[in-house]
Amino acid sequence: MRNHVSRVTSAIRGFSLGVLAMYLFDPDVGRRRRALVVDQFASTRNRLTHFADSAYRDAVNRSYGVAARLRPGTERRQPMTTHQVEERVRARIGRVVRNSHALRVQARDDGTVVLSGPVLASEVNRLMSAVWSVGGVAGIEDRLQVHEQAGNVSALQGTLAHEGHRGAGMNEKWPPSLRLAAGVVGGALALAGLSRNRPLGMVQTLLGGALVTRALANRKLGEVTRQSGRHGVHIDKEMFIAAPPERVFDFWQHQENFPQFMRNVEEVRPTGEDCWHWKVAGPFGPVEWDARITERELNRRLAWHTVQGAPVESEGHVDFEPAGEGTRLRVSMDYAPAAGAIGHAAARLLGRDAKTEMDEDLMRVKSFLETGVPARDSAARRTAEHPQRFH
């Protein structure tokens, strides 16, 4: 039995290595794929270095804070200044309000904190509770501009108006020092479990892997595996296009032309009024879903949402703002990959994540709208196969 399991394991390992070799050494695009993998490894190394530095500084700062709390009567002997109160309030509300940069905080000598600026109605209660929990706050003067939805408020763009979209999720974020400690402990548990051939070793490996996954993704495991939580990745992109808003908006309405400019979009076809069927090449095969236009403001905004049950849940909007003789294009999107955060990480390693694709595709669109000449790359091959319908 043990020999049979060993042969199966060897076969799986050999098959996996063969698939990897075919992917990386493809005669047409192998060089580009290898370059992407090298770039991703270099980027990952830089991010890990930055994360380790942040974790170290976070641990040092927290140790100072714990030491200060252990000294009795510290705050009574050293009252906080208004500047200290303001900084503590800003730090606290940054954990419970998504667009905390839009809020203004002013502390007075009597301990009253003045809050002003735009905020979503769904975040007001969490905001007030967070401010009251800050030491040194004796009262709150409410001058907030409360909005039910983000609408056209520029400071709130990128915020979804769904109840509880952030809030609780933000409270589940771990600080860098805790993430580093969890990752180290989880990795040690997983390695120790792999060295054992008993059921206890398997359980230990699973626990260690779960801890590492939680630390890397910095979100609840249910959201990582896409069992809870709706959106996993948020993307914002802004670009200037030297073409009038009418032309840019008109182009965006003709979604059937997207495959001519988007490298991994194989097909987009209308299925009804404001409904479209998408077929996109993914890292492990084509993925298909249906999406619906939910908001259309002529020459100003287009918003979309995937239909219920789509393998890739996504929603977002595109704003078209006049800027001189051109258009300021703003794209905001939230999406949940088919395999959650794990799927997004795999796609990012292969250069097929949504952010990388959006950057490349928008540059093709910009080039075409400004010059009238389609890009000379893989997406342009479809232009020759399918005559252009956009004018």
Side-chain angles (χ1 to χ4, degrees):
M1 182 64 181
R2 181 174 299 177
N3 291 336
H4 178 69
V5 172
S6 178
R7 287 195 297 269
V8 172
T9 303
S10 299
I12 294 176
R13 185 183 300 113
F15 176 77
S16 301
L17 291 175
V19 171
L20 180 62
M22 290 175 60
Y23 180 84
L24 293 177
F25 295 97
D26 183 278
D28 295 328
V29 295
R31 179 178 297 179
R32 180 179 182 277
R33 289 172 176 173
R34 292 194 298 273
L36 284 174
V37 171
V38 171
D39 290 342
Q40 290 298 328
F41 274 115
S43 176
T44 300
R45 180 192 60 197
N46 294 334
R47 288 198 301 269
L48 288 175
T49 301
H50 176 72
F51 172 73
D53 181 64
S54 300
Y56 171 77
R57 287 186 281 107
D58 180 69
V60 171
N61 292 336
R62 288 180 180 275
S63 64
Y64 285 146
V66 171
R69 290 181 181 179
L70 292 177
R71 292 195 296 268
T74 299
E75 291 192 1
R76 290 194 297 270
R77 293 194 303 267
Q78 299 177 354
M80 286 188 294
T81 65
T82 57
H83 176 72
Q84 290 175 324
V85 173
E86 290 174 358
E87 291 302 315
R88 291 194 179 189
V89 169
R90 291 191 183 99
R92 187 64 57 86
I93 66 177
R95 299 185 175 211
V96 297
V97 178
R98 180 165 186 169
N99 290 301
S100 57
H101 63 275
L103 297 175
R104 292 180 292 277
V105 179
Q106 180 182 4
R108 296 173 178 168
D109 294 335
D110 61 355
T112 301
V113 173
V114 181
L115 298 177
S116 59
V119 65
L120 288 177
S122 58
E123 297 178 329
V124 172
N125 290 336
R126 294 195 300 270
L127 170 63
M128 293 300 180
S129 298
V131 175
W132 275 117
S133 66
V134 176
V137 175
I140 299 177
E141 183 174 328
D142 186 353
R143 297 182 183 177
L144 296 170
Q145 304 166 16
V146 180
H147 301 268
E148 292 294 332
Q149 298 181 353
N152 294 324
V153 182
S154 59
L156 298 179
Q157 295 307 311
T159 299
L160 296 179
H162 296 290
E163 189 76 26
H165 173 69
R166 298 286 288 186
M170 295 184 69
N171 293 332
E172 296 296 332
K173 298 291 185 182
W174 286 357
S177 55
L178 180 58
R179 291 177 61 192
L180 180 60
V184 172
V185 173
L189 282 174
L191 290 176
L194 289 174
S195 63
R196 299 182 177 181
N197 296 322
R198 299 178 180 178
L200 180 61
M202 181 178 297
V203 173
Q204 189 174 349
T205 301
L206 292 176
L207 290 176
L211 197 57
V212 171
T213 302
R214 177 63 173 84
L216 290 175
N218 200 18
R219 64 186 66 197
K220 294 183 291 186
L221 289 177
E223 295 180 3
V224 174
T225 58
R226 200 166 172 256
Q227 293 176 354
S228 67
R230 187 169 187 174
H231 300 285
V233 181
H234 178 79
I235 300 174
D236 285 311
K237 184 69 176 179
E238 181 174 321
M239 173 180 289
F240 175 80
I241 299 178
E246 296 78 12
R247 176 174 169 80
V248 181
F249 183 87
D250 192 33
F251 167 82
W252 222 266
Q253 289 190 112
H254 294 74
Q255 297 186 24
E256 65 273 15
N257 290 313
F258 284 4
Q260 300 176 17
F261 303 92
M262 298 183 174
R263 178 165 57 93
N264 292 317
V265 178
E266 298 181 355
E267 179 187 13
V268 181
R269 55 181 173 84
T271 58
E273 184 178 0
D274 286 337
C275 292
W276 303 82
H277 180 79
W278 288 66
K279 181 179 180 181
V280 177
F284 308 109
V287 182
E288 301 184 41
W289 66 83
D290 292 318
R292 178 185 298 274
I293 300 297
T294 58
E295 181 181 355
R296 185 193 303 270
E297 185 179 349
L298 185 62
N299 301 330
R300 298 292 299 180
R301 166 177 282 213
L302 282 174
W304 77 90
H305 194 300
T306 52
V307 300
Q308 186 176 5
V312 177
E313 297 183 18
S314 171
E315 66 178 332
H317 60 264
V318 184
D319 291 317
F320 309 84
E321 179 182 329
E325 297 182 356
T327 303
R328 181 71 59 184
L329 185 74
R330 291 188 176 92
V331 182
S332 181
M333 181 179 75
D334 288 82
Y335 87 105
I342 298 175
H344 175 70
R348 187 172 184 180
L349 180 63
L350 300 176
R352 287 193 171 185
D353 62 293
K355 185 180 186 305
T356 301
E357 293 179 5
M358 181 182 294
D359 290 341
E360 296 176 354
D361 297 338
L362 285 180
M363 288 305 300
R364 295 190 189 95
V365 171
K366 173 182 171 68
S367 175
F368 171 73
L369 290 175
E370 292 181 346
T371 66
V373 180
R376 297 178 178 272
D377 56 11
S378 57
R381 289 200 297 267
R382 301 192 187 100
T383 304
E385 299 172 359
H386 305 286
Q388 220 172 301
R389 293 182 291 273
F390 174 73
H391 302 283

mmCIF file of all heavy atoms in Angstrom, residues 46 65 76 89 94-95 157 163 206 249 279 285 292 296 320 339 356-358:
data_model
loop_
_atom_site.group_PDB
_atom_site.id
_atom_site.type_symbol
_atom_site.label_atom_id
_atom_site.label_comp_id
_atom_site.label_asym_id
_atom_site.label_seq_id
_atom_site.Cartn_x
_atom_site.Cartn_y
_atom_site.Cartn_z
ATOM 1 N N ASN A 46 10.501 42.339 -2.437
ATOM 2 C CA ASN A 46 10.471 43.727 -1.954
ATOM 3 C C ASN A 46 9.325 43.952 -0.972
ATOM 4 O O ASN A 46 9.480 44.648 0.041
ATOM 5 C CB ASN A 46 10.346 44.691 -3.134
ATOM 6 C CG ASN A 46 11.574 44.682 -4.027
ATOM 7 O OD1 ASN A 46 12.678 44.362 -3.572
ATOM 8 N ND2 ASN A 46 11.401 45.018 -5.292
ATOM 9 N N GLY A 65 3.766 51.049 24.074
ATOM 10 C CA GLY A 65 2.421 51.318 24.557
ATOM 11 C C GLY A 65 2.050 50.461 25.753
ATOM 12 O O GLY A 65 1.445 50.946 26.723
ATOM 13 N N ARG A 76 -2.743 60.450 34.069
ATOM 14 C CA ARG A 76 -3.149 61.517 34.979
ATOM 15 C C ARG A 76 -2.006 62.514 35.222
ATOM 16 O O ARG A 76 -2.220 63.708 35.362
ATOM 17 C CB ARG A 76 -3.609 60.907 36.309
ATOM 18 C CG ARG A 76 -4.916 60.161 36.218
ATOM 19 C CD ARG A 76 -5.458 59.891 37.608
ATOM 20 N NE ARG A 76 -4.569 59.037 38.364
ATOM 21 C CZ ARG A 76 -4.644 57.714 38.378
ATOM 22 N NH1 ARG A 76 -5.551 57.097 37.643
ATOM 23 N NH2 ARG A 76 -3.816 57.003 39.115
ATOM 24 N N VAL A 89 -7.436 59.970 17.613
ATOM 25 C CA VAL A 89 -8.756 59.834 16.990
ATOM 26 C C VAL A 89 -8.605 59.444 15.521
ATOM 27 O O VAL A 89 -9.306 58.555 15.019
ATOM 28 C CB VAL A 89 -9.564 61.140 17.138
ATOM 29 C CG1 VAL A 89 -10.817 61.088 16.272
ATOM 30 C CG2 VAL A 89 -9.931 61.369 18.594
ATOM 31 N N GLY A 94 -9.492 55.423 11.365
ATOM 32 C CA GLY A 94 -8.967 54.792 10.162
ATOM 33 C C GLY A 94 -9.238 53.305 10.115
ATOM 34 O O GLY A 94 -9.162 52.687 9.049
ATOM 35 N N ARG A 95 -9.584 52.703 11.268
ATOM 36 C CA ARG A 95 -9.870 51.270 11.319
ATOM 37 C C ARG A 95 -11.334 50.942 11.063
ATOM 38 O O ARG A 95 -11.677 49.786 10.853
ATOM 39 C CB ARG A 95 -9.482 50.704 12.688
ATOM 40 C CG ARG A 95 -8.002 50.853 12.997
ATOM 41 C CD ARG A 95 -7.665 50.169 14.297
ATOM 42 N NE ARG A 95 -6.239 50.193 14.543
ATOM 43 C CZ ARG A 95 -5.592 49.247 15.205
ATOM 44 N NH1 ARG A 95 -6.252 48.203 15.651
ATOM 45 N NH2 ARG A 95 -4.289 49.345 15.412
ATOM 46 N N GLN A 157 -15.725 58.225 -3.334
ATOM 47 C CA GLN A 157 -15.654 57.322 -4.472
ATOM 48 C C GLN A 157 -14.822 56.107 -4.122
ATOM 49 O O GLN A 157 -13.822 56.191 -3.413
ATOM 50 C CB GLN A 157 -15.053 58.032 -5.685
ATOM 51 C CG GLN A 157 -15.916 59.159 -6.208
ATOM 52 C CD GLN A 157 -17.350 58.707 -6.481
ATOM 53 O OE1 GLN A 157 -17.573 57.687 -7.128
ATOM 54 N NE2 GLN A 157 -18.306 59.450 -5.980
ATOM 55 N N GLU A 163 -24.461 47.660 3.139
ATOM 56 C CA GLU A 163 -24.357 47.671 4.597
ATOM 57 C C GLU A 163 -23.354 46.631 5.050
ATOM 58 O O GLU A 163 -23.400 45.475 4.648
ATOM 59 C CB GLU A 163 -25.722 47.336 5.212
ATOM 60 C CG GLU A 163 -25.772 47.526 6.702
ATOM 61 C CD GLU A 163 -25.857 48.997 7.068
ATOM 62 O OE1 GLU A 163 -26.352 49.795 6.266
ATOM 63 O OE2 GLU A 163 -25.419 49.331 8.179
ATOM 64 N N LEU A 206 -2.578 21.151 8.512
ATOM 65 C CA LEU A 206 -3.745 21.951 8.133
ATOM 66 C C LEU A 206 -3.879 23.194 9.008
ATOM 67 O O LEU A 206 -4.172 24.287 8.513
ATOM 68 C CB LEU A 206 -5.015 21.102 8.212
ATOM 69 C CG LEU A 206 -5.140 19.976 7.178
ATOM 70 C CD1 LEU A 206 -6.390 19.151 7.446
ATOM 71 C CD2 LEU A 206 -5.178 20.556 5.772
ATOM 72 N N PHE A 249 -17.114 57.637 -23.767
ATOM 73 C CA PHE A 249 -18.322 56.990 -23.248
ATOM 74 C C PHE A 249 -18.944 56.084 -24.309
ATOM 75 O O PHE A 249 -19.362 54.961 -24.018
ATOM 76 C CB PHE A 249 -19.327 58.051 -22.807
ATOM 77 C CG PHE A 249 -20.584 57.493 -22.197
ATOM 78 C CD1 PHE A 249 -20.657 57.212 -20.846
ATOM 79 C CD2 PHE A 249 -21.703 57.251 -22.983
ATOM 80 C CE1 PHE A 249 -21.820 56.696 -20.273
ATOM 81 C CE2 PHE A 249 -22.864 56.739 -22.437
ATOM 82 C CZ PHE A 249 -22.923 56.459 -21.071
ATOM 83 N N LYS A 279 -16.664 36.026 -21.628
ATOM 84 C CA LYS A 279 -15.823 34.828 -21.624
ATOM 85 C C LYS A 279 -14.377 35.306 -21.566
ATOM 86 O O LYS A 279 -13.887 35.973 -22.483
ATOM 87 C CB LYS A 279 -16.044 33.984 -22.876
ATOM 88 C CG LYS A 279 -15.206 32.704 -22.900
ATOM 89 C CD LYS A 279 -15.487 31.885 -24.155
ATOM 90 C CE LYS A 279 -14.647 30.601 -24.178
ATOM 91 N NZ LYS A 279 -14.894 29.821 -25.410
ATOM 92 N N GLY A 285 -7.891 28.121 -17.298
ATOM 93 C CA GLY A 285 -8.929 27.866 -18.297
ATOM 94 C C GLY A 285 -9.928 29.011 -18.369
ATOM 95 O O GLY A 285 -9.970 29.876 -17.490
ATOM 96 N N ARG A 292 -24.663 42.872 -15.807
ATOM 97 C CA ARG A 292 -25.751 43.786 -16.172
ATOM 98 C C ARG A 292 -25.333 45.230 -15.870
ATOM 99 O O ARG A 292 -24.705 45.511 -14.859
ATOM 100 C CB ARG A 292 -27.003 43.446 -15.364
ATOM 101 C CG ARG A 292 -28.198 44.365 -15.628
ATOM 102 C CD ARG A 292 -29.349 44.024 -14.686
ATOM 103 N NE ARG A 292 -29.809 42.666 -14.899
ATOM 104 C CZ ARG A 292 -30.715 42.327 -15.820
ATOM 105 N NH1 ARG A 292 -31.242 43.263 -16.607
ATOM 106 N NH2 ARG A 292 -31.102 41.081 -15.953
ATOM 107 N N ARG A 296 -26.621 54.127 -15.919
ATOM 108 C CA ARG A 296 -26.120 54.721 -17.155
ATOM 109 C C ARG A 296 -26.468 56.207 -17.145
ATOM 110 O O ARG A 296 -27.632 56.586 -17.257
ATOM 111 C CB ARG A 296 -26.739 54.043 -18.374
ATOM 112 C CG ARG A 296 -26.178 54.533 -19.712
ATOM 113 C CD ARG A 296 -27.063 54.056 -20.856
ATOM 114 N NE ARG A 296 -27.191 52.615 -20.838
ATOM 115 C CZ ARG A 296 -26.376 51.778 -21.477
ATOM 116 N NH1 ARG A 296 -25.364 52.268 -22.173
ATOM 117 N NH2 ARG A 296 -26.559 50.470 -21.419
ATOM 118 N N PHE A 320 -16.637 59.359 -16.313
ATOM 119 C CA PHE A 320 -16.052 60.095 -17.427
ATOM 120 C C PHE A 320 -16.159 61.589 -17.105
ATOM 121 O O PHE A 320 -17.251 62.157 -17.144
ATOM 122 C CB PHE A 320 -16.793 59.781 -18.730
ATOM 123 C CG PHE A 320 -16.946 58.313 -18.995
ATOM 124 C CD1 PHE A 320 -18.001 57.588 -18.428
ATOM 125 C CD2 PHE A 320 -16.052 57.631 -19.800
ATOM 126 C CE1 PHE A 320 -18.158 56.236 -18.671
ATOM 127 C CE2 PHE A 320 -16.192 56.272 -20.046
ATOM 128 C CZ PHE A 320 -17.248 55.575 -19.476
ATOM 129 N N ALA A 339 -11.472 31.524 -6.855
ATOM 130 C CA ALA A 339 -10.919 30.747 -5.749
ATOM 131 C C ALA A 339 -10.553 31.645 -4.577
ATOM 132 O O ALA A 339 -9.652 31.346 -3.806
ATOM 133 C CB ALA A 339 -9.694 29.962 -6.209
ATOM 134 N N THR A 356 -3.372 43.856 -13.087
ATOM 135 C CA THR A 356 -2.392 43.833 -14.174
ATOM 136 C C THR A 356 -3.079 43.928 -15.526
ATOM 137 O O THR A 356 -2.665 44.684 -16.411
ATOM 138 C CB THR A 356 -1.550 42.552 -14.097
ATOM 139 O OG1 THR A 356 -0.882 42.494 -12.838
ATOM 140 C CG2 THR A 356 -0.514 42.522 -15.203
ATOM 141 N N GLU A 357 -4.156 43.159 -15.691
ATOM 142 C CA GLU A 357 -4.876 43.185 -16.958
ATOM 143 C C GLU A 357 -5.488 44.563 -17.214
ATOM 144 O O GLU A 357 -5.467 45.058 -18.352
ATOM 145 C CB GLU A 357 -5.958 42.114 -16.954
ATOM 146 C CG GLU A 357 -5.402 40.689 -16.940
ATOM 147 C CD GLU A 357 -6.512 39.654 -16.921
ATOM 148 O OE1 GLU A 357 -7.693 40.061 -17.019
ATOM 149 O OE2 GLU A 357 -6.205 38.463 -16.811
ATOM 150 N N MET A 358 -6.059 45.171 -16.167
ATOM 151 C CA MET A 358 -6.688 46.475 -16.354
ATOM 152 C C MET A 358 -5.667 47.521 -16.784
ATOM 153 O O MET A 358 -5.939 48.340 -17.668
ATOM 154 C CB MET A 358 -7.387 46.918 -15.062
ATOM 155 C CG MET A 358 -8.093 48.264 -15.197
ATOM 156 S SD MET A 358 -8.857 48.813 -13.657
ATOM 157 C CE MET A 358 -10.125 47.579 -13.453
#
